[in-house]
Amino acid sequence: MVRLLRELTDPLIPRFSPGRARLRLGDNAAHYPDAAAELEAFARPLWGLGPLAAGGGTFEHWELWRRGLAAGTDPGHEEFWGAVTDVDQRLVETAAIGLALAVAPEAVWDPLSGRERDDLAAWLLHAITAEPADNNWQFFPVMVGLGLDRVGVRFDPAPNTARLDRLESFALGGGWYSDGPTDQRDYYVPFAMHYYGLVYAALAGEGDPGRARRLRERAAAFALDFQHWFASDGAAVPFGRSLTYRFAQGAFWGALAFADVEALPWGTVKGHLMRHLRWWMERPIRDSAGLLTLGYGYAQPALAEQYNAPGSPYWALKAFLPLAVPAEHPFWTAPEHPARELPPVSTQPEAGVALMRCEEGRQVIMLSARQHHTWVRHGAAKYAKFAYSTFFGFSVPSGSWGLEQGAFDSTLALSDDGVHWRPCEVTRDATARDGLLHTRWAPWPDVEIETWLIARPPWHLRVHRLRSGRDLLSAEGAFAVNRDSPARRSAAGPGHARLDSPSGLCVIEDLGGARAGRLVRALPGTNVLAPRTVIPTLAGGHGPGEHWLACAVLGLAEAPPGAEWPEPPGREAIPDLPGGGPTR
């Protein structure tokens, strides 16, 4: 882990500005100004460098960051970052500085001059009084407070106490949080809500024992669910926003070690984090200079949110928190354990998902019916698709004209003109129990769809009750398959679309038989794991009135032996549904 951290930070060194307060990694296309973007790139490496120093690791470039802290917080310096204000990107980045002060003051604070310390303290104190967004951001001033407390800077703790109380109000039970008063249950739960909570429990637990106990207990409970999000090779289910933070997905496992929470055997916790890092290091996620790129499985700027600048991916360095843990801790001394054998289906109602372990754990498929996120770029694709796979990923649109631009894998898209398509975007009335998910959505005022998702590993079934006041065309996609490997065989015809290639096998079967299969070649750069894909799809036409649609979907990393296509579950696999369900 130390070697990897240095591999990731060494390419940053030539990119420092003359005053060392900014890292210029590329052109900023985020909604915040260049000064904040370059602060972001400067601060985020501290998520790894602070723990490295805390654990006794050496780093020969600390002076660059110390000079940058001095210049960036000096109002008279040309590289001054600007004051921290309400709901400000600068507030986000103060959290990494707070952690570094809290765990490694000898590397960050002690070598500064008296005036430099005063400037840094005064700048950080703005974060204590600034108003954060009402979600995981409430933790940022708390992290700053941990750092200031460690170096002896006095401040009023009352605002942070109120923020901690507010954060605890987001607890849902079962170890889950919402990310604010919303329906969001994504990676911000492990790499933000739990991560910061475990840091607080470890560093402030003696003074706040009741809260520290609750934070640890919730994290231990959450681990039992979160382990289902990872395949046996370390891949995590790609889902939700901020995927460009990449191996921050696994940061929760290291935070357990930092707070000494043995939620699972230490060898199992260690295995989750190490396999995850190894999986990422096999992906082309760095450019020719060694810098982390915007994207997920490869450089894919179209995936980025409006709050992603060139330095944003370095939130991934949160995964290095266990470097602060002593070498004799059982996290380090325990033998690394392989992934545990887990049930084939884990339904997690707090998140509105069911996770299927397929191919003996080599692939995890998440069925999702609860969530939506309308303000982030490609929010419908990131939250409201029906299935997300560790092997096939998911796709985001590259335009609004036709199925090829829409890249409608793992969703049902509808059109009233044959050109512009509307997939599931905003869900409501969602439930999840015993491998059965249900939701409602309405792409037009006179069109309502009720959708049921049924986990039958390795297959999943989808049933839709479509009530429409207009003529519609439909296109329902299976998984997107990498098309850079020539297909061994393919078939598309009445009631089916199938593809078998070295990059995986994918089948979608219409259980009603009325729709026609086709293979849609999505535009390049749409899928988060493979740059060029083809999507087996069922297409149909529907007049005004009520229609029942049902299909079975299969995606396998490895095709089973034999010349026959896998046989899908029959209609008997569909449970009784309200309104009678599809005709049997």
Side-chain angles (χ1 to χ4, degrees):
M1 287 187 74
V2 170
R3 287 196 299 271
L4 176 57
L5 177 61
R6 289 175 178 153
E7 284 181 19
L8 292 167
T9 53
D10 282 350
L12 300 173
I13 305 309
R15 305 298 181 116
F16 272 93
S17 60
R20 309 301 192 230
R22 304 188 183 185
L23 270 170
R24 294 167 178 163
L25 306 185
D27 295 325
N28 174 34
H31 66 76
Y32 40 87
D34 288 348
E38 292 164 1
L39 162 61
E40 176 184 71
F42 170 91
R44 293 195 174 190
L46 294 173
W47 289 115
L49 295 175
L52 173 67
T58 59
F59 182 65
E60 61 184 26
H61 302 295
W62 267 118
E63 185 61 18
L64 291 172
W65 268 270
R66 288 193 287 264
R67 290 303 92 219
L69 287 170
T73 58
D74 177 359
H77 197 284
E78 62 182 5
E79 294 188 8
F80 178 55
W81 293 322
V84 180
T85 58
D86 295 346
V87 194
D88 181 358
Q89 186 64 31
R90 295 170 185 82
L91 178 59
V92 179
E93 310 315 326
T94 62
I97 299 171
L99 176 72
L101 288 176
V103 301
E106 67 284 351
V108 181
W109 176 265
D110 294 350
L112 300 180
S113 70
R115 177 184 173 182
E116 290 167 345
R117 293 181 189 178
D118 289 345
D119 285 345
L120 176 55
W123 187 79
L124 287 172
L125 284 169
H126 285 287
I128 301 293
T129 57
E131 188 64 34
D134 192 23
N135 53 22
N136 71 90
W137 280 44
Q138 299 279 344
F139 265 120
F140 300 150
V142 174
M143 298 293 291
V144 170
L146 293 174
L148 293 178
D149 188 62
R150 176 69 188 273
V151 298
V153 175
R154 301 182 65 179
F155 60 94
D156 180 6
N160 278 350
T161 299
R163 291 177 182 121
L164 287 163
D165 292 340
R166 177 62 174 163
L167 287 158
E168 286 202 81
S169 76
F170 300 145
L172 302 170
W176 281 88
Y177 293 94
S178 61
D179 184 20
T182 70
D183 283 333
Q184 297 323 118
R185 320 278 193 270
D186 52 21
Y187 284 101
Y188 278 82
V189 176
F191 68 42
M193 300 294 288
H194 278 299
Y195 184 94
Y196 302 131
L198 288 167
V199 169
Y200 180 84
L203 298 181
E206 289 188 9
D208 196 358
R211 194 188 311 274
R213 174 184 53 77
R214 294 191 299 274
L215 295 172
R216 286 187 164 101
E217 288 174 349
R218 291 190 194 112
F222 179 76
L224 301 180
D225 274 358
F226 193 47
Q227 64 183 328
H228 293 271
W229 291 50
F230 292 81
S232 59
D233 64 355
V237 176
F239 171 76
R241 63 191 176 103
S242 298
L243 290 177
T244 200
Y245 300 162
R246 294 188 172 106
F247 38 99
Q249 290 173 321
F252 170 80
W253 302 114
L256 289 176
F258 184 78
D260 202 28
V261 178
E262 191 176 5
L264 301 169
W266 283 120
T268 302
V269 173
K270 179 179 181 177
H272 277 304
L273 180 56
M274 297 305 170
R275 284 190 302 276
H276 187 60
L277 290 173
R278 292 187 195 107
W279 186 88
W280 276 112
M281 290 307 103
E282 294 172 357
R283 313 268 89 74
I285 61 175
R286 291 180 272 183
D287 66 15
S288 59
L291 298 173
L292 291 172
T293 58
L294 287 168
Y296 190 68
Y298 58 98
Q300 187 188 15
L303 179 70
E305 282 81 26
Q306 57 268 39
Y307 54 81
N308 288 157
S312 295
Y314 287 86
W315 236 42
L317 300 196
K318 284 184 166 187
F320 293 91
L321 183 59
L323 291 179
V325 176
E328 60 272 16
H329 191 279
F331 174 85
W332 294 118
T333 61
E336 183 180 328
H337 292 173
R340 305 169 84 191
E341 186 173 336
L342 296 169
V345 178
S346 172
T347 306
Q348 300 177 6
E350 293 85 0
V353 302
L355 292 120
M356 306 194 310
R357 299 192 76 75
C358 306
E359 303 176 86
E360 298 180 333
R362 294 192 298 276
Q363 181 186 190
V364 173
I365 295 172
M366 174 197 287
L367 305 182
S368 179
R370 177 192 181 103
Q371 299 190 52
H372 60 266
H373 210 319
T374 56
W375 69 271
V376 298
R377 184 182 293 155
H378 307 314
K382 294 171 180 176
Y383 286 92
K385 291 199 173 184
F386 303 141
Y388 297 84
S389 163
T390 57
F391 184 78
F392 295 101
F394 71 93
S395 304
V396 297
S398 65
S400 60
W401 192 280
L403 298 179
E404 292 77 10
Q405 291 186 12
F408 297 116
D409 60 339
S410 298
T411 193
L412 174 66
L414 301 169
S415 174
D416 61 359
D417 63 4
V419 175
H420 303 94
W421 295 80
R422 297 189 182 187
C424 180
E425 294 178 328
V426 177
T427 60
R428 57 185 176 87
D429 302 331
T431 59
R433 56 178 178 81
D434 301 327
L436 175 64
L437 279 57
H438 171 256
T439 192
R440 300 174 188 267
W441 48 291
W444 289 274
D446 63 342
V447 177
E448 182 182 75
I449 302 98
E450 232 178 323
T451 292
W452 291 265
L453 305 176
I454 304 154
R456 294 290 185 267
W459 295 81
H460 70 274
L461 309 181
R462 308 177 194 163
V463 179
H464 313 282
R465 177 161 60 185
L466 168 63
R467 292 169 169 157
S468 177
R470 63 181 72 189
D471 290 321
L472 290 173
L473 299 174
S474 69
E476 183 159 11
F479 296 107
V481 182
N482 186 345
R483 70 171 188 256
D484 284 348
S485 302
R488 290 187 286 247
R489 55 179 175 158
S490 63
H496 67 269
R498 308 163 184 160
L499 181 67
D500 178 13
S501 85
S503 299
L505 178 144
C506 183
V507 173
I508 184 167
E509 298 279 346
D510 187 13
L511 299 184
R515 290 180 285 177
R518 58 179 294 190
L519 300 174
V520 176
R521 292 170 66 89
L523 262 59
T526 49
N527 186 265
V528 301
L529 291 177
R532 288 161 292 277
T533 61
V534 59
I535 304 171
T537 300
L538 297 175
H542 319 282
E546 179 174 289
H547 308 272
W548 284 91
L549 309 177
C551 66
V553 179
L554 174 69
L556 297 176
E558 297 180 12
E564 298 297 322
W565 292 98
E567 189 69 23
R571 288 169 175 252
E572 66 277 1
I574 300 174
D576 292 334
L577 302 176
T583 303
R584 295 191 180 276

